[in-house]
Amino acid sequence: MSVAITVRDVPDQVRGELAARAARAGQSLQEYVKGLLVEQVSKPSADDWMAQVRGRVNSTGSQLSAESILAARDADRA
């Protein structure tokens, strides 16, 4: 089930730019903004991502130094 969201006090310039981008994409403003919102929440925030990374490191106990990461990267390029 979907819900309606109202965003108030959007500056005219922002609304105009969103409408122009929607038109270039062949979409209505509503479709375009909905796509932006769906895309935004499909990725974790930087804070959530870092918490996931820290959780994995803590659960595995593994830690790699920057030097070992760069050495592995360089070995793959050779």
Side-chain angles (χ1 to χ4, degrees), residues 35-77:
L36 291 176
L37 293 171
V38 169
E39 180 183 344
Q40 183 65 33
V41 299
S42 69
K43 313 176 247 191
S45 70
D47 290 339
D48 290 343
W49 181 79
M50 282 304 298
Q52 291 172 358
V53 169
R54 286 189 179 107
R56 283 190 212 116
V57 168
N58 292 336
S59 68
T60 63
S62 66
Q63 293 188 6
L64 297 172
S65 67
E67 293 80 19
S68 64
I69 293 170
L70 293 175
R73 178 203 63 187
D74 294 341
D76 285 343
R77 293 182 178 178

